Amino acid sequence: MTRPVAHSRPYDLGRGFSVEFKLQHGQLNAVWSPRVPHGRRGRQLLPAYKAARNRFLSSLTPDLGTIMVVDL
């Protein structure tokens, strides 16, 4: 039986926010600290969030192969 990939890594996004990405059992979760930003603050942090998410997913490609992200 193959073990599911379990991996996590925190990223400082600036402006007092951080996010920890966790991949376990094929599911990606983002855990924000101190909370999920909304409105203007959320829009300001979006580029840093996407860059951190892409770095995290890129670090997994040797184990998982190609990963596709769809932003809605």
Short mmCIF file of all heavy atoms in Angstrom, two decimals:
data_model
loop_
_atom_site.label_atom_id
_atom_site.label_comp_id
_atom_site.label_asym_id
_atom_site.label_seq_id
_atom_site.Cartn_x
_atom_site.Cartn_y
_atom_site.Cartn_z
N MET A 1 0.85 -1.18 0.00
CA MET A 1 0.00 0.00 0.00
C MET A 1 0.89 1.24 0.00
O MET A 1 1.85 1.34 0.75
CB MET A 1 -0.92 -0.01 1.21
CG MET A 1 -1.84 1.17 1.26
SD MET A 1 -3.27 0.97 2.34
CE MET A 1 -2.56 1.11 3.94
N THR A 2 0.54 2.25 -0.81
CA THR A 2 1.30 3.48 -0.91
C THR A 2 0.83 4.47 0.15
O THR A 2 -0.37 4.67 0.32
CB THR A 2 1.10 4.11 -2.30
OG1 THR A 2 1.44 3.16 -3.28
CG2 THR A 2 1.96 5.34 -2.46
N ARG A 3 1.80 5.08 0.84
CA ARG A 3 1.46 6.10 1.84
C ARG A 3 1.10 7.40 1.12
O ARG A 3 1.77 7.79 0.17
CB ARG A 3 2.66 6.38 2.75
CG ARG A 3 2.78 5.42 3.86
CD ARG A 3 3.91 5.78 4.81
NE ARG A 3 4.04 7.21 5.02
CZ ARG A 3 5.20 7.84 5.17
NH1 ARG A 3 6.32 7.18 5.13
NH2 ARG A 3 5.24 9.14 5.37
N PRO A 4 0.07 8.11 1.59
CA PRO A 4 -0.24 9.41 1.00
C PRO A 4 0.85 10.41 1.36
O PRO A 4 1.48 10.32 2.40
CB PRO A 4 -1.57 9.80 1.64
CG PRO A 4 -1.65 9.00 2.89
CD PRO A 4 -0.86 7.73 2.63
N VAL A 5 1.10 11.36 0.47
CA VAL A 5 2.08 12.39 0.74
C VAL A 5 1.55 13.29 1.85
O VAL A 5 0.42 13.76 1.79
CB VAL A 5 2.36 13.23 -0.52
CG1 VAL A 5 3.27 14.39 -0.20
CG2 VAL A 5 2.96 12.36 -1.61
N ALA A 6 2.34 13.49 2.88
CA ALA A 6 1.98 14.41 3.95
C ALA A 6 3.11 15.42 4.06
O ALA A 6 4.25 15.05 4.32
CB ALA A 6 1.79 13.67 5.26
N HIS A 7 2.79 16.67 3.82
CA HIS A 7 3.81 17.70 3.79
C HIS A 7 3.19 19.01 4.25
O HIS A 7 2.03 19.28 3.93
CB HIS A 7 4.33 17.83 2.35
CG HIS A 7 5.53 18.70 2.21
ND1 HIS A 7 6.76 18.36 2.70
CD2 HIS A 7 5.68 19.90 1.61
CE1 HIS A 7 7.63 19.31 2.40
NE2 HIS A 7 6.98 20.26 1.74
N SER A 8 3.94 19.79 4.98
CA SER A 8 3.45 21.11 5.38
C SER A 8 4.62 22.08 5.47
O SER A 8 5.76 21.67 5.72
CB SER A 8 2.69 21.05 6.70
OG SER A 8 3.57 20.76 7.76
N ARG A 9 4.31 23.35 5.26
CA ARG A 9 5.34 24.38 5.36
C ARG A 9 4.65 25.73 5.58
O ARG A 9 3.72 26.08 4.87
CB ARG A 9 6.16 24.44 4.08
CG ARG A 9 7.30 25.46 4.17
CD ARG A 9 8.19 25.41 2.98
NE ARG A 9 8.83 24.09 2.93
CZ ARG A 9 9.33 23.55 1.82
NH1 ARG A 9 9.26 24.20 0.68
NH2 ARG A 9 9.89 22.37 1.85
N PRO A 10 5.14 26.50 6.57
CA PRO A 10 4.60 27.85 6.80
C PRO A 10 5.32 28.89 5.95
O PRO A 10 6.50 28.72 5.60
CB PRO A 10 4.89 28.08 8.29
CG PRO A 10 6.13 27.29 8.54
CD PRO A 10 6.06 26.08 7.62
N TYR A 11 4.62 29.97 5.64
CA TYR A 11 5.17 31.09 4.87
C TYR A 11 4.72 32.39 5.50
O TYR A 11 3.52 32.58 5.78
CB TYR A 11 4.69 31.05 3.41
CG TYR A 11 5.22 29.88 2.64
CD1 TYR A 11 4.54 28.68 2.62
CD2 TYR A 11 6.41 29.98 1.92
CE1 TYR A 11 5.03 27.59 1.91
CE2 TYR A 11 6.91 28.90 1.21
CZ TYR A 11 6.21 27.71 1.22
OH TYR A 11 6.70 26.64 0.52
N ASP A 12 5.65 33.30 5.70
CA ASP A 12 5.34 34.64 6.18
C ASP A 12 4.93 35.48 4.97
O ASP A 12 5.68 35.58 4.00
CB ASP A 12 6.55 35.25 6.86
CG ASP A 12 6.29 36.64 7.40
OD1 ASP A 12 5.11 37.03 7.54
OD2 ASP A 12 7.27 37.35 7.70
N LEU A 13 3.75 36.08 5.02
CA LEU A 13 3.24 36.86 3.90
C LEU A 13 3.42 38.35 4.10
O LEU A 13 3.11 39.14 3.21
CB LEU A 13 1.76 36.55 3.67
CG LEU A 13 1.42 35.09 3.37
CD1 LEU A 13 -0.08 34.93 3.18
CD2 LEU A 13 2.20 34.58 2.18
N GLY A 14 3.91 38.75 5.26
CA GLY A 14 4.05 40.18 5.56
C GLY A 14 2.76 40.74 6.12
O GLY A 14 1.74 40.06 6.21
N ARG A 15 2.82 42.01 6.53
CA ARG A 15 1.66 42.71 7.06
C ARG A 15 1.03 41.99 8.25
O ARG A 15 -0.17 42.08 8.51
CB ARG A 15 0.62 42.97 5.99
CG ARG A 15 1.14 43.75 4.80
CD ARG A 15 0.06 43.93 3.76
NE ARG A 15 0.61 44.42 2.52
CZ ARG A 15 0.68 45.70 2.17
NH1 ARG A 15 0.26 46.62 2.98
NH2 ARG A 15 1.20 46.04 1.00
N GLY A 16 1.85 41.19 8.96
CA GLY A 16 1.36 40.48 10.15
C GLY A 16 0.64 39.18 9.87
O GLY A 16 0.05 38.60 10.78
N PHE A 17 0.67 38.69 8.63
CA PHE A 17 -0.04 37.46 8.27
C PHE A 17 0.93 36.38 7.83
O PHE A 17 1.99 36.65 7.27
CB PHE A 17 -1.03 37.73 7.12
CG PHE A 17 -2.25 38.46 7.55
CD1 PHE A 17 -2.24 39.85 7.60
CD2 PHE A 17 -3.41 37.79 7.90
CE1 PHE A 17 -3.36 40.55 8.00
CE2 PHE A 17 -4.53 38.48 8.29
CZ PHE A 17 -4.51 39.87 8.34
N SER A 18 0.53 35.15 8.08
CA SER A 18 1.27 34.00 7.57
C SER A 18 0.25 32.94 7.17
O SER A 18 -0.91 32.98 7.57
CB SER A 18 2.24 33.45 8.62
OG SER A 18 1.53 32.94 9.73
N VAL A 19 0.73 32.00 6.37
CA VAL A 19 -0.13 30.90 5.94
C VAL A 19 0.71 29.63 5.97
O VAL A 19 1.90 29.66 5.65
CB VAL A 19 -0.74 31.14 4.54
CG1 VAL A 19 0.33 31.20 3.47
CG2 VAL A 19 -1.80 30.11 4.21
N GLU A 20 0.12 28.55 6.42
CA GLU A 20 0.79 27.25 6.39
C GLU A 20 0.01 26.36 5.43
O GLU A 20 -1.19 26.16 5.60
CB GLU A 20 0.84 26.60 7.77
CG GLU A 20 1.55 25.27 7.75
CD GLU A 20 1.69 24.64 9.12
OE1 GLU A 20 1.12 25.18 10.09
OE2 GLU A 20 2.35 23.61 9.21
N PHE A 21 0.72 25.87 4.42
CA PHE A 21 0.11 24.95 3.48
C PHE A 21 0.33 23.54 3.98
O PHE A 21 1.43 23.18 4.40
CB PHE A 21 0.71 25.12 2.09
CG PHE A 21 0.38 26.44 1.48
CD1 PHE A 21 1.32 27.45 1.45
CD2 PHE A 21 -0.88 26.69 0.96
CE1 PHE A 21 1.01 28.68 0.90
CE2 PHE A 21 -1.19 27.92 0.40
CZ PHE A 21 -0.25 28.91 0.38
N LYS A 22 -0.73 22.73 3.92
CA LYS A 22 -0.65 21.34 4.34
C LYS A 22 -1.25 20.47 3.25
O LYS A 22 -2.37 20.71 2.80
CB LYS A 22 -1.44 21.11 5.64
CG LYS A 22 -0.91 21.87 6.82
CD LYS A 22 -1.73 21.59 8.06
CE LYS A 22 -1.17 22.34 9.25
NZ LYS A 22 -1.87 21.97 10.49
N LEU A 23 -0.47 19.47 2.83
CA LEU A 23 -0.97 18.51 1.85
C LEU A 23 -0.99 17.15 2.52
O LEU A 23 0.05 16.65 2.96
CB LEU A 23 -0.07 18.46 0.62
CG LEU A 23 -0.51 17.46 -0.44
CD1 LEU A 23 -1.82 17.92 -1.09
CD2 LEU A 23 0.56 17.27 -1.48
N GLN A 24 -2.17 16.59 2.62
CA GLN A 24 -2.31 15.28 3.24
C GLN A 24 -3.50 14.57 2.60
O GLN A 24 -4.56 15.18 2.41
CB GLN A 24 -2.52 15.40 4.74
CG GLN A 24 -2.38 14.09 5.47
CD GLN A 24 -2.27 14.28 6.96
OE1 GLN A 24 -2.65 15.30 7.51
NE2 GLN A 24 -1.75 13.29 7.64
N HIS A 25 -3.29 13.32 2.23
CA HIS A 25 -4.33 12.51 1.58
C HIS A 25 -4.85 13.18 0.31
O HIS A 25 -6.04 13.13 0.01
CB HIS A 25 -5.48 12.23 2.54
CG HIS A 25 -5.05 11.58 3.82
ND1 HIS A 25 -4.54 10.31 3.87
CD2 HIS A 25 -5.01 12.05 5.09
CE1 HIS A 25 -4.23 10.01 5.11
NE2 HIS A 25 -4.51 11.06 5.87
N GLY A 26 -3.95 13.86 -0.41
CA GLY A 26 -4.32 14.47 -1.67
C GLY A 26 -5.09 15.77 -1.56
O GLY A 26 -5.55 16.31 -2.54
N GLN A 27 -5.22 16.30 -0.35
CA GLN A 27 -5.98 17.53 -0.14
C GLN A 27 -5.04 18.63 0.32
O GLN A 27 -4.25 18.44 1.25
CB GLN A 27 -7.07 17.33 0.90
CG GLN A 27 -7.92 18.55 1.11
CD GLN A 27 -9.10 18.27 2.02
OE1 GLN A 27 -9.47 17.14 2.25
NE2 GLN A 27 -9.69 19.33 2.54
N LEU A 28 -5.12 19.80 -0.31
CA LEU A 28 -4.32 20.96 0.06
C LEU A 28 -5.16 21.88 0.93
O LEU A 28 -6.27 22.27 0.56
CB LEU A 28 -3.85 21.71 -1.18
CG LEU A 28 -3.05 22.98 -0.91
CD1 LEU A 28 -1.72 22.65 -0.25
CD2 LEU A 28 -2.83 23.74 -2.21
N ASN A 29 -4.63 22.22 2.09
CA ASN A 29 -5.29 23.16 2.99
C ASN A 29 -4.35 24.32 3.28
O ASN A 29 -3.14 24.13 3.36
CB ASN A 29 -5.66 22.49 4.32
CG ASN A 29 -6.76 21.49 4.15
OD1 ASN A 29 -7.83 21.79 3.66
ND2 ASN A 29 -6.49 20.25 4.55
N ALA A 30 -4.92 25.50 3.44
CA ALA A 30 -4.17 26.69 3.82
C ALA A 30 -4.68 27.14 5.18
O ALA A 30 -5.86 27.46 5.33
CB ALA A 30 -4.35 27.79 2.79
N VAL A 31 -3.80 27.16 6.16
CA VAL A 31 -4.15 27.57 7.51
C VAL A 31 -3.54 28.95 7.75
O VAL A 31 -2.31 29.10 7.78
CB VAL A 31 -3.63 26.55 8.56
CG1 VAL A 31 -4.01 26.99 9.96
CG2 VAL A 31 -4.15 25.16 8.26
N TRP A 32 -4.39 29.94 7.90
CA TRP A 32 -3.96 31.32 8.05
C TRP A 32 -3.74 31.69 9.50
O TRP A 32 -4.42 31.19 10.39
CB TRP A 32 -5.02 32.25 7.48
CG TRP A 32 -5.07 32.28 6.00
CD1 TRP A 32 -5.74 31.38 5.20
CD2 TRP A 32 -4.44 33.21 5.13
NE1 TRP A 32 -5.56 31.71 3.88
CE2 TRP A 32 -4.77 32.83 3.82
CE3 TRP A 32 -3.65 34.32 5.33
CZ2 TRP A 32 -4.33 33.55 2.71
CZ3 TRP A 32 -3.20 35.03 4.24
CH2 TRP A 32 -3.54 34.63 2.94
N SER A 33 -2.81 32.63 9.71
CA SER A 33 -2.59 33.17 11.05
C SER A 33 -2.39 34.68 10.89
O SER A 33 -1.64 35.10 10.02
CB SER A 33 -1.36 32.53 11.68
OG SER A 33 -1.14 33.06 12.97
N PRO A 34 -3.05 35.50 11.65
CA PRO A 34 -3.96 35.17 12.73
C PRO A 34 -5.36 34.78 12.26
O PRO A 34 -6.13 34.18 13.00
CB PRO A 34 -4.00 36.45 13.56
CG PRO A 34 -3.77 37.55 12.57
CD PRO A 34 -2.82 36.96 11.55
N ARG A 35 -5.71 35.12 11.00
CA ARG A 35 -7.03 34.78 10.44
C ARG A 35 -6.97 34.98 8.93
O ARG A 35 -6.02 35.54 8.41
CB ARG A 35 -8.12 35.68 11.03
CG ARG A 35 -7.94 37.14 10.63
CD ARG A 35 -8.83 38.10 11.39
NE ARG A 35 -8.57 39.47 11.04
CZ ARG A 35 -7.50 40.18 11.34
NH1 ARG A 35 -6.53 39.62 12.03
NH2 ARG A 35 -7.36 41.45 10.97
N VAL A 36 -7.99 34.53 8.23
CA VAL A 36 -8.06 34.76 6.78
C VAL A 36 -8.35 36.25 6.56
O VAL A 36 -9.31 36.78 7.11
CB VAL A 36 -9.18 33.92 6.14
CG1 VAL A 36 -9.34 34.25 4.67
CG2 VAL A 36 -8.91 32.44 6.33
N PRO A 37 -7.51 36.93 5.76
CA PRO A 37 -7.76 38.35 5.50
C PRO A 37 -8.90 38.53 4.50
O PRO A 37 -9.09 37.71 3.62
CB PRO A 37 -6.43 38.83 4.92
CG PRO A 37 -5.84 37.63 4.29
CD PRO A 37 -6.29 36.46 5.12
N HIS A 38 -9.63 39.61 4.66
CA HIS A 38 -10.77 39.90 3.78
C HIS A 38 -10.61 41.31 3.22
O HIS A 38 -9.82 42.11 3.71
CB HIS A 38 -12.09 39.80 4.54
CG HIS A 38 -12.38 38.41 5.02
ND1 HIS A 38 -12.86 37.42 4.19
CD2 HIS A 38 -12.25 37.84 6.22
CE1 HIS A 38 -13.01 36.30 4.88
NE2 HIS A 38 -12.64 36.53 6.12
N GLY A 39 -11.39 41.61 2.20
CA GLY A 39 -11.45 42.95 1.66
C GLY A 39 -10.11 43.43 1.13
O GLY A 39 -9.38 42.69 0.47
N ARG A 40 -9.81 44.67 1.44
CA ARG A 40 -8.59 45.32 0.94
C ARG A 40 -7.33 44.56 1.36
O ARG A 40 -6.41 44.36 0.57
CB ARG A 40 -8.54 46.76 1.44
CG ARG A 40 -7.38 47.54 0.94
CD ARG A 40 -7.49 48.96 1.41
NE ARG A 40 -6.33 49.72 1.01
CZ ARG A 40 -6.02 50.89 1.50
NH1 ARG A 40 -6.80 51.45 2.41
NH2 ARG A 40 -4.95 51.52 1.09
N ARG A 41 -7.28 44.16 2.62
CA ARG A 41 -6.10 43.42 3.12
C ARG A 41 -5.93 42.11 2.36
O ARG A 41 -4.83 41.72 1.99
CB ARG A 41 -6.22 43.17 4.62
CG ARG A 41 -5.07 42.40 5.22
CD ARG A 41 -3.79 43.18 5.27
NE ARG A 41 -3.94 44.27 6.18
CZ ARG A 41 -3.22 45.39 6.14
NH1 ARG A 41 -2.29 45.53 5.24
NH2 ARG A 41 -3.44 46.34 6.98
N GLY A 42 -7.02 41.43 2.09
CA GLY A 42 -6.95 40.19 1.33
C GLY A 42 -6.41 40.40 -0.07
O GLY A 42 -5.57 39.63 -0.55
N ARG A 43 -6.86 41.46 -0.71
CA ARG A 43 -6.36 41.78 -2.06
C ARG A 43 -4.89 42.14 -2.03
O ARG A 43 -4.13 41.80 -2.93
CB ARG A 43 -7.19 42.90 -2.68
CG ARG A 43 -8.60 42.46 -3.08
CD ARG A 43 -9.34 43.53 -3.86
NE ARG A 43 -9.49 44.78 -3.14
CZ ARG A 43 -10.45 45.06 -2.24
NH1 ARG A 43 -11.34 44.12 -1.96
NH2 ARG A 43 -10.51 46.23 -1.65
N GLN A 44 -4.45 42.84 -1.00
CA GLN A 44 -3.04 43.21 -0.87
C GLN A 44 -2.15 41.98 -0.69
O GLN A 44 -1.01 41.96 -1.16
CB GLN A 44 -2.83 44.16 0.31
CG GLN A 44 -3.42 45.53 0.10
CD GLN A 44 -3.39 46.37 1.37
OE1 GLN A 44 -3.31 45.85 2.48
NE2 GLN A 44 -3.45 47.69 1.20
N LEU A 45 -2.64 40.99 0.02
CA LEU A 45 -1.85 39.80 0.31
C LEU A 45 -1.93 38.73 -0.78
O LEU A 45 -1.16 37.77 -0.76
CB LEU A 45 -2.28 39.19 1.65
CG LEU A 45 -1.91 40.00 2.88
CD1 LEU A 45 -2.60 39.46 4.11
CD2 LEU A 45 -0.41 40.01 3.07
N LEU A 46 -2.84 38.88 -1.72
CA LEU A 46 -3.03 37.85 -2.74
C LEU A 46 -1.77 37.53 -3.53
O LEU A 46 -1.45 36.35 -3.71
CB LEU A 46 -4.19 38.23 -3.66
CG LEU A 46 -4.63 37.16 -4.65
CD1 LEU A 46 -5.05 35.88 -3.92
CD2 LEU A 46 -5.78 37.68 -5.49
N PRO A 47 -0.99 38.50 -4.00
CA PRO A 47 0.25 38.15 -4.73
C PRO A 47 1.23 37.35 -3.87
O PRO A 47 1.82 36.38 -4.35
CB PRO A 47 0.82 39.50 -5.14
CG PRO A 47 -0.34 40.42 -5.17
CD PRO A 47 -1.25 39.95 -4.05
N ALA A 48 1.40 37.72 -2.61
CA ALA A 48 2.31 36.99 -1.71
C ALA A 48 1.78 35.58 -1.45
O ALA A 48 2.54 34.61 -1.39
CB ALA A 48 2.49 37.74 -0.40
N TYR A 49 0.45 35.46 -1.29
CA TYR A 49 -0.17 34.15 -1.07
C TYR A 49 0.08 33.23 -2.27
O TYR A 49 0.48 32.08 -2.13
CB TYR A 49 -1.67 34.31 -0.82
CG TYR A 49 -2.41 33.00 -0.89
CD1 TYR A 49 -2.47 32.17 0.22
CD2 TYR A 49 -3.05 32.59 -2.06
CE1 TYR A 49 -3.13 30.95 0.16
CE2 TYR A 49 -3.71 31.38 -2.13
CZ TYR A 49 -3.75 30.57 -1.01
OH TYR A 49 -4.39 29.36 -1.08
N LYS A 50 -0.17 33.75 -3.48
CA LYS A 50 0.01 32.93 -4.68
C LYS A 50 1.46 32.53 -4.87
O LYS A 50 1.75 31.39 -5.26
CB LYS A 50 -0.50 33.67 -5.91
CG LYS A 50 -2.01 33.74 -5.99
CD LYS A 50 -2.46 34.45 -7.25
CE LYS A 50 -3.96 34.46 -7.38
NZ LYS A 50 -4.39 35.13 -8.63
N ALA A 51 2.39 33.44 -4.59
CA ALA A 51 3.82 33.11 -4.70
C ALA A 51 4.20 32.02 -3.71
O ALA A 51 4.91 31.07 -4.06
CB ALA A 51 4.66 34.36 -4.48
N ALA A 52 3.71 32.13 -2.48
CA ALA A 52 4.00 31.11 -1.46
C ALA A 52 3.38 29.77 -1.85
O ALA A 52 4.02 28.72 -1.73
CB ALA A 52 3.48 31.57 -0.10
N ARG A 53 2.14 29.80 -2.32
CA ARG A 53 1.47 28.56 -2.74
C ARG A 53 2.25 27.90 -3.88
O ARG A 53 2.47 26.69 -3.87
CB ARG A 53 0.05 28.87 -3.20
CG ARG A 53 -0.73 27.64 -3.65
CD ARG A 53 -1.91 28.00 -4.50
NE ARG A 53 -1.48 28.70 -5.70
CZ ARG A 53 -2.29 29.46 -6.44
NH1 ARG A 53 -3.54 29.64 -6.10
NH2 ARG A 53 -1.84 30.04 -7.53
N ASN A 54 2.70 28.70 -4.83
CA ASN A 54 3.45 28.14 -5.96
C ASN A 54 4.78 27.55 -5.51
O ASN A 54 5.19 26.50 -6.01
CB ASN A 54 3.64 29.19 -7.03
CG ASN A 54 2.33 29.57 -7.71
OD1 ASN A 54 1.32 28.88 -7.58
ND2 ASN A 54 2.34 30.69 -8.40
N ARG A 55 5.47 28.22 -4.57
CA ARG A 55 6.72 27.66 -4.03
C ARG A 55 6.46 26.34 -3.33
O ARG A 55 7.22 25.38 -3.48
CB ARG A 55 7.39 28.65 -3.08
CG ARG A 55 8.11 29.78 -3.78
CD ARG A 55 9.01 30.56 -2.84
NE ARG A 55 8.35 31.06 -1.64
CZ ARG A 55 7.69 32.21 -1.55
NH1 ARG A 55 7.59 33.00 -2.60
NH2 ARG A 55 7.15 32.57 -0.42
N PHE A 56 5.39 26.29 -2.54
CA PHE A 56 5.06 25.05 -1.82
C PHE A 56 4.77 23.92 -2.81
O PHE A 56 5.33 22.84 -2.69
CB PHE A 56 3.84 25.28 -0.92
CG PHE A 56 3.38 24.04 -0.22
CD1 PHE A 56 4.09 23.53 0.85
CD2 PHE A 56 2.25 23.36 -0.64
CE1 PHE A 56 3.68 22.37 1.50
CE2 PHE A 56 1.82 22.22 0.00
CZ PHE A 56 2.54 21.71 1.07
N LEU A 57 3.92 24.18 -3.79
CA LEU A 57 3.57 23.13 -4.75
C LEU A 57 4.78 22.72 -5.59
O LEU A 57 4.94 21.54 -5.90
CB LEU A 57 2.42 23.60 -5.64
CG LEU A 57 1.08 23.78 -4.91
CD1 LEU A 57 0.04 24.37 -5.84
CD2 LEU A 57 0.61 22.48 -4.29
N SER A 58 5.63 23.67 -5.94
CA SER A 58 6.84 23.34 -6.70
C SER A 58 7.77 22.42 -5.91
O SER A 58 8.46 21.58 -6.48
CB SER A 58 7.60 24.61 -7.08
OG SER A 58 6.85 25.34 -8.01
N SER A 59 7.77 22.58 -4.60
CA SER A 59 8.61 21.72 -3.76
C SER A 59 8.11 20.28 -3.74
O SER A 59 8.85 19.37 -3.37
CB SER A 59 8.70 22.28 -2.33
OG SER A 59 7.50 22.06 -1.62
N LEU A 60 6.87 20.08 -4.13
CA LEU A 60 6.27 18.73 -4.11
C LEU A 60 6.40 18.00 -5.43
O LEU A 60 6.23 16.79 -5.48
CB LEU A 60 4.78 18.82 -3.77
CG LEU A 60 4.43 19.47 -2.45
CD1 LEU A 60 2.92 19.57 -2.33
CD2 LEU A 60 5.02 18.71 -1.28
N THR A 61 6.70 18.69 -6.52
CA THR A 61 6.67 18.06 -7.83
C THR A 61 7.61 16.88 -7.98
O THR A 61 7.28 15.96 -8.73
CB THR A 61 6.89 19.08 -8.97
OG1 THR A 61 8.13 19.75 -8.75
CG2 THR A 61 5.76 20.08 -9.04
N PRO A 62 8.77 16.82 -7.30
CA PRO A 62 9.57 15.59 -7.43
C PRO A 62 8.82 14.35 -6.94
O PRO A 62 9.01 13.26 -7.47
CB PRO A 62 10.80 15.87 -6.56
CG PRO A 62 10.91 17.36 -6.53
CD PRO A 62 9.48 17.86 -6.57
N ASP A 63 7.96 14.51 -5.93
CA ASP A 63 7.21 13.38 -5.38
C ASP A 63 5.89 13.13 -6.11
O ASP A 63 5.46 11.99 -6.25
CB ASP A 63 6.90 13.61 -3.90
CG ASP A 63 8.14 13.64 -3.04
OD1 ASP A 63 9.11 12.94 -3.38
OD2 ASP A 63 8.16 14.38 -2.05
N LEU A 64 5.25 14.21 -6.57
CA LEU A 64 3.90 14.08 -7.12
C LEU A 64 3.82 14.18 -8.63
O LEU A 64 2.82 13.83 -9.22
CB LEU A 64 2.99 15.16 -6.52
CG LEU A 64 2.77 15.11 -5.02
CD1 LEU A 64 1.87 16.25 -4.58
CD2 LEU A 64 2.17 13.79 -4.60
N GLY A 65 4.83 14.73 -9.26
CA GLY A 65 4.77 14.96 -10.70
C GLY A 65 4.13 16.30 -11.00
O GLY A 65 4.22 17.23 -10.21
N THR A 66 3.45 16.40 -12.10
CA THR A 66 2.85 17.66 -12.54
C THR A 66 1.64 18.01 -11.69
O THR A 66 0.81 17.16 -11.39
CB THR A 66 2.42 17.56 -14.01
OG1 THR A 66 3.56 17.20 -14.79
CG2 THR A 66 1.84 18.86 -14.51
N ILE A 67 1.56 19.30 -11.31
CA ILE A 67 0.44 19.80 -10.52
C ILE A 67 -0.19 20.95 -11.29
O ILE A 67 0.51 21.80 -11.82
CB ILE A 67 0.92 20.31 -9.15
CG1 ILE A 67 1.50 19.16 -8.33
CG2 ILE A 67 -0.23 20.97 -8.39
CD1 ILE A 67 2.15 19.60 -7.04
N MET A 68 -1.51 20.97 -11.35
CA MET A 68 -2.23 22.06 -12.01
C MET A 68 -3.03 22.83 -10.97
O MET A 68 -3.69 22.24 -10.12
CB MET A 68 -3.18 21.52 -13.07
CG MET A 68 -3.90 22.61 -13.82
SD MET A 68 -4.92 22.01 -15.18
CE MET A 68 -6.35 21.42 -14.31
N VAL A 69 -2.96 24.16 -11.04
CA VAL A 69 -3.71 25.02 -10.14
C VAL A 69 -4.71 25.81 -10.97
O VAL A 69 -4.37 26.38 -12.00
CB VAL A 69 -2.77 26.01 -9.40
CG1 VAL A 69 -3.57 26.99 -8.57
CG2 VAL A 69 -1.79 25.24 -8.54
N VAL A 70 -5.95 25.85 -10.51
CA VAL A 70 -6.99 26.62 -11.17
C VAL A 70 -7.49 27.65 -10.15
O VAL A 70 -8.01 27.29 -9.11
CB VAL A 70 -8.17 25.72 -11.62
CG1 VAL A 70 -9.27 26.57 -12.23
CG2 VAL A 70 -7.68 24.65 -12.57
N ASP A 71 -7.26 28.93 -10.45
CA ASP A 71 -7.76 30.02 -9.60
C ASP A 71 -9.10 30.46 -10.13
O ASP A 71 -9.24 30.75 -11.32
CB ASP A 71 -6.79 31.21 -9.63
CG ASP A 71 -5.54 30.97 -8.81
OD1 ASP A 71 -5.66 30.40 -7.70
OD2 ASP A 71 -4.45 31.35 -9.27
N LEU A 72 -10.07 30.53 -9.26
CA LEU A 72 -11.40 30.99 -9.64
C LEU A 72 -11.68 32.36 -9.08
O LEU A 72 -11.25 32.74 -8.08
CB LEU A 72 -12.48 30.02 -9.15
CG LEU A 72 -12.35 28.59 -9.69
CD1 LEU A 72 -13.37 27.70 -9.05
CD2 LEU A 72 -12.51 28.58 -11.20
#
